[in-house]
Amino acid sequence: MPNSSDFSSPTRRGFLATTGGVLAGAVAAPRNLAAAEPQSDESSGVAKPRRKIPIGVFDPAFPDLTLDQLVEKYASMGVEAAEIGTGGYPDNKHCPMPELITDSAKLKAWRKKFEDHNIQISVLSCHGNPVHPDKAIADRDAETFKQTVQLAEKLGVKVIVGFSGCPGANPTDKNPNWITYRWPPEYAAAQDWQWKEKLIPYWKGAARYAREHGIHRLALEMHPNFCVYNPLTLLKLREAVGEEIGANNDLSHLFWQGCNPVDVIHMLGKQGAIFHAHMKDTVLYPDKVARYGVLNFVFEKQDLKTASDAFRAVGYGHGASQWKDIMRAYMDVGYDGIFSVENEDPILSGEVGVERALYVLKNVREELLTETA
């Protein structure tokens, strides 16, 4: 595995030629997506220089490290930005949020650990289910969101990441009910109730609370088992609530749904609706997809023999050439966030998966920036 010094190696120019096939893993080579035209200055017709988008890491990849160990690890890996979990499903292993909100000295010391290593705290994440039919769970996750907004305000962080949540199908349900198919008719009625009575009212209130604290970017991850799970449902909620709602554009959840990643980036980017980008890949096993379909996702290494799809580190589901098209698209739509590595690879777990993803992303980014030099 390359060390951090390899990220600036002069051999980077030949990176795509040597890695495009290897990093594709066990899948067939993806079709070549059409490259987007670079942004240009309309008055001069000259292409604008591409922004060097910072590359960061989402901290749940290192749940066993202390905060001091985490920032040291990030520094050694050349990580430029941090996405920090504040509660919900990612938990808050490295962010004692209540203390940081109430104690300015502790907040200053916490932030300084990142600043001393030249790591930008870019995003706070509180993935939960604030519309859960169990009121105790919903209230807990809604409170975590509010505290995350308060902390973001104190830190000057502009983006909060989360899930839309998923309610039950009716007022008496005790478990969330993810409805994607509007037939028979009772499912359509239940889905309409979810959006009208639960989802939209909650997020209108949440967006208002965020605005009051100077936060205008709520990046919802399009994720199965939640009401917002694809670009269409994201835009539906954005239209109903307002422009505070945008995407955490985690393509790992869109690959298996058949989305074209470049098309998605251009569609959402042109509307200013991409607030954050998780960098995580998905491998599709064509023989299993042919037999079982795509709704056969696995998370454990021992289950891969029957998997249609599984999460992988960047470059291990789709080749480096496709990730170059993806990163080019982000640059061309003027995306102003970070690329945040999230590792849930059942084969390349923990540090190894993060290192591999960073290696691909940094080399591809350099290729793109060199093109316009």
Side-chain angles (χ1 to χ4, degrees):
M1 180 60 221
N3 59 38
S4 59
S5 65
D6 291 319
F7 295 144
S8 57
S9 167
T11 61
R12 186 159 34 198
R13 292 181 182 275
F15 171 72
L16 289 176
T18 60
T19 62
V22 174
L23 291 177
V27 295
R31 64 190 180 90
N32 186 30
L33 300 175
E37 292 298 321
Q39 290 181 296
S40 63
D41 185 325
E42 293 182 3
S43 61
S44 66
V46 177
K48 295 180 182 178
R50 289 179 174 139
R51 171 177 174 258
K52 184 178 180 180
I53 298 174
I55 297 173
V57 175
F58 188 19
D59 72 309
F62 298 99
D64 299 325
L65 298 186
T66 66
L67 177 61
D68 288 334
Q69 291 170 334
L70 180 77
V71 293
E72 291 288 348
K73 178 64 67 177
Y74 279 8
S76 71
M77 299 172 83
V79 174
E80 300 158 351
E83 176 184 356
I84 301 296
T86 60
Y89 299 111
D91 210 345
N92 62 337
K93 298 286 186 180
H94 306 112
C95 182
M97 188 162 57
E99 295 179 18
L100 300 181
I101 293 171
T102 58
D103 189 323
S104 59
K106 288 184 178 180
L107 177 63
K108 182 178 180 180
W110 184 84
R111 176 165 47 189
K112 189 174 185 297
K113 292 178 187 294
F114 292 92
E115 291 173 345
D116 286 349
H117 291 81
N118 199 31
I119 297 168
Q120 172 188 353
I121 303 170
S122 300
V123 180
L124 299 180
S125 292
C126 56
H127 299 70
N129 189 352
V131 293
H132 196 288
D134 184 324
K135 187 176 185 301
I137 295 174
D139 289 350
R140 179 199 66 195
D141 289 350
E143 179 60 26
T144 297
F145 170 80
K146 287 184 176 181
Q147 290 186 16
T148 302
V149 168
Q150 295 168 30
L151 180 59
E153 181 181 26
K154 291 177 179 293
L155 290 170
V157 169
K158 302 301 183 185
V159 178
I160 293 174
V161 177
F163 293 137
S164 65
C166 184
N170 58 61
T172 62
D173 259 5
K174 298 186 182 301
N175 292 298
N177 194 323
W178 185 41
I179 302 170
T180 64
Y181 201 78
R182 291 175 61 83
W183 193 90
E186 57 265 32
Y187 288 92
Q191 189 184 61
D192 291 343
W193 178 86
Q194 289 178 320
W195 280 76
K196 180 180 178 181
E197 300 298 331
K198 293 294 181 180
L199 198 69
I200 292 173
Y202 170 78
W203 282 106
K204 281 186 174 180
R208 181 170 58 250
Y209 185 83
R211 281 196 304 272
E212 292 169 353
H213 291 268
I215 308 300
H216 300 278
R217 294 190 168 195
L218 306 179
L220 300 185
E221 187 166 337
M222 295 170 282
H223 193 291
N225 282 331
F226 297 101
C227 293
V228 168
Y229 62 92
N230 64 11
L232 192 61
T233 50
L234 175 81
L235 292 174
K236 178 181 176 181
L237 188 62
R238 180 179 168 91
E239 181 178 3
V241 172
E243 292 187 354
E244 285 81 11
I245 300 297
N248 168 26
N249 201 41
D250 187 332
L251 296 174
S252 69
H253 304 302
L254 303 184
F255 283 129
W256 67 266
Q257 295 185 59
C259 293
N260 179 316
V262 171
D263 284 354
V264 169
I265 293 166
H266 278 276
M267 177 184 67
L268 295 178
K270 287 176 182 177
Q271 300 180 61
I274 301 179
F275 296 160
H276 188 50
H278 273 177
M279 305 305 273
K280 186 173 68 180
D281 213 337
T282 296
V283 62
L284 296 167
Y285 297 101
D287 58 332
K288 307 300 193 311
V289 171
R291 296 174 195 164
Y292 310 132
V294 296
L295 295 178
N296 178 36
F297 221 94
V298 303
F299 301 92
E300 303 297 332
K301 186 175 181 179
Q302 64 268 22
D303 297 325
L304 286 171
K305 60 182 177 295
T306 60
S308 297
D309 26 38
F311 293 136
R312 295 304 313 270
V314 170
Y316 286 80
H318 298 78
S321 61
Q322 182 156 355
W323 280 100
K324 185 175 181 180
D325 287 335
I326 289 166
M327 294 173 74
R328 179 190 291 113
Y330 277 117
M331 292 177 178
D332 289 345
V333 299
Y335 171 62
D336 61 0
I338 69 169
F339 292 140
S340 184
V341 172
E342 181 185 29
N343 188 46
E344 295 177 325
D345 191 313
I347 299 173
L348 305 172
S349 60
E351 181 175 348
V352 176
V354 172
E355 285 180 329
R356 301 286 178 88
L358 289 172
Y359 184 71
V360 175
L361 293 172
K362 288 197 171 189
N363 277 283
V364 169
R365 183 180 65 180
E366 185 64 18
E367 290 272 347
L368 288 165
L369 296 175
T370 302
E371 282 181 355
T372 59

